[in-house]
Amino acid sequence: MVDRAKPGEQTRTALPGPRQPSLADVAGLAGVSHMTVSRVVNESGPVRPETRERVLAAVQELGYRPNTAARALVTGRSGTLGVVALESNLYGPASTLYGIENAAREAGYGVAICSVTRPGRTSIGDAVESLRRQAVEGIVVIAPHVTAGRALAAAPSDIPLVAVGGGEAAPVPVISVDQYDGARRATEHLLGLGHRTVWHLAGPEDWLEARDRERGWRETLERRGLRVPAVVRGDWSPRSGYEAGRALVGKRGLKAVFSANDQMALGLLRAFTEAGIRVPEDVHVAGFDDVPEAEYFTPPLTTVRQDFIEVGRRTFGLLEERMAGGDAHARHLVPAELVVRESTTPR
């Protein structure tokens, strides 16, 4: 078949580039058959250890890269994992995606990412189906949203699937940071500074992480028999934190605030500064996430750190277990760590 230019298009002559080393080149350098090289690179058959070492040395010397499509035909495996991610620039979801990519890459897998703008049942279902058509071996759904968690109930059962977040009711293996315990730690820390209660700047109600952080704060106060102030709610953004801070100014007994994320805490600090409220002299403030900028806030922010690299590692491990026929209802929690900085310096 001859490719023809469409009307108005110019034809282009392909310029020759450097030829990529082939399987036959590796076989020639190693002094073995091309079938032996195929068995080594595809891990598809027995090869003597000394022969394997010779082939791998030739692969490294030539810079040979196996053809993934050809490998899939030989092994029945694509070497690719799929990730369904919420289209977001928020630190938590973005860092979770990075952690998963990093773990998969270290294990030799490629990653195909399908982003959704709204985490509803249809959009997540369409994303999973799109990844299945790409012959991925397993799929991770980053599901911090309530509707995303519900959408997992309709996920197909014929492909291994793991959720990051997704809630207790998710019908698939779930990995998550212990949001509840992180909130408990932050609240206990503030109470340990001598405060009679702690106010809470919460995240959106339809985010599972916001719900768990709010519950950790609330139940910590209730266990101590302390007053639970009315929640002030934001949308994760610094602007919403700023507006919440302005609403909190003048509240009776306002001495300590736990913000559900660091970005809202940033806006809160700005509002307090404008109102002449000093942190930490007048009010103590703690956040959640430990964004890279948190230690450069004014003052540096006490916060709860999430280990996203560990989340990625455990997510990949859980998916490997599921691909091998492991427990479809496994649950794993990654501990959260309290990082104390100047915003909660004892007075």
Side-chain angles (χ1 to χ4, degrees):
M1 178 181 288
V2 178
D3 290 333
R4 302 182 184 276
K6 296 179 182 179
E9 290 184 340
Q10 294 181 343
T11 59
R12 296 182 179 179
T13 303
L15 298 176
R19 186 176 72 84
Q20 296 298 314
S22 67
L23 186 144
D25 294 328
V26 175
L29 181 59
V32 298
S33 71
H34 73 280
M35 289 301 296
T36 298
V37 176
S38 177
R39 284 195 292 270
V40 171
V41 298
N42 293 314
E43 300 179 354
S44 59
V47 178
R48 288 185 297 179
E50 60 270 21
T51 302
R52 181 180 300 276
E53 290 180 11
R54 203 159 67 245
V55 170
L56 292 176
V59 166
Q60 184 172 4
E61 181 177 340
L62 293 173
Y64 172 72
R65 294 291 182 270
N67 182 297
T68 54
R71 171 185 281 182
L73 289 174
V74 173
T75 65
R77 299 175 56 190
S78 65
T80 304
L81 303 178
V83 178
V84 178
L86 180 63
E87 194 173 277
S88 171
N89 60 0
L90 291 172
Y91 179 73
S95 298
T96 300
L97 177 58
Y98 170 76
I100 294 168
E101 283 187 289
N102 185 65
R105 186 170 58 251
E106 287 183 353
Y109 281 89
V111 177
I113 300 170
C114 194
S115 298
V116 296
T117 54
R118 293 186 178 182
R121 177 171 176 171
T122 301
S123 60
I124 289 180
D126 289 346
V128 168
E129 186 58 34
S130 174
L131 291 169
R132 289 175 72 197
R133 289 196 297 268
Q134 297 177 52
V136 297
E137 295 183 38
I139 297 175
V140 176
V141 179
I142 301 176
H145 200 274
V146 172
T147 53
R150 292 171 182 163
L152 294 171
S157 59
D158 60 346
I159 185 167
L161 194 148
V162 167
V164 180
E168 287 297 319
V172 299
V174 172
I175 185 86
S176 59
V177 173
D178 195 338
Q179 310 289 336
Y180 178 94
D181 189 61
R184 180 195 64 78
R185 288 170 181 262
T187 307
E188 290 281 9
H189 171 68
L190 290 167
L191 292 175
L193 297 172
H195 300 299
R196 296 182 178 180
T197 192
V198 175
W199 292 72
H200 184 44
L201 170 50
E205 284 186 283
D206 53 359
W207 281 68
L208 293 167
E209 294 171 344
R211 291 185 176 189
D212 286 344
R213 294 171 195 178
E214 181 178 340
R215 186 167 60 88
W217 158 79
R218 182 183 303 278
E219 292 183 4
T220 299
L221 294 179
E222 289 174 344
R223 278 193 298 270
R224 291 196 174 204
L226 300 174
R227 180 174 68 92
V228 180
V231 167
V232 182
R233 198 169 300 280
D235 62 7
W236 298 130
S237 70
R239 175 177 289 277
S240 70
Y242 175 77
E243 292 170 352
R246 294 183 64 181
L248 285 171
V249 169
K251 293 288 186 181
R252 184 178 178 182
L254 180 70
K255 295 296 181 181
V257 183
F258 165 47
S259 172
N261 81 336
D262 293 346
Q263 295 296 334
M264 291 193 298
L266 176 61
L268 189 74
L269 291 173
R270 170 67 182 270
F272 285 173
T273 298
E274 289 183 353
I277 298 174
R278 301 167 301 166
V279 177
E281 291 84 358
D282 301 322
V283 177
H284 286 135
V285 175
F288 205 111
D289 279 341
D290 194 27
V291 300
E293 301 84 4
E295 62 180 314
Y296 300 103
F297 286 5
T298 303
L301 184 67
T302 290
T303 184
V304 177
R305 176 180 295 158
Q306 303 188 72
D307 188 344
F308 293 108
I309 297 301
E310 180 66 10
V311 170
R313 188 186 68 80
R314 293 202 192 184
T315 300
F316 175 74
L318 196 57
L319 184 57
E320 274 196 316
E321 291 176 12
R322 188 71 190 104
M323 291 191 294
D327 184 4
H329 301 287
R331 296 289 186 271
H332 290 274
L333 282 176
V334 176
E337 176 190 0
L338 180 68
V339 180
V340 178
R341 298 194 179 102
E342 293 173 27
S343 67
T344 60
T345 302
R347 291 194 285 270

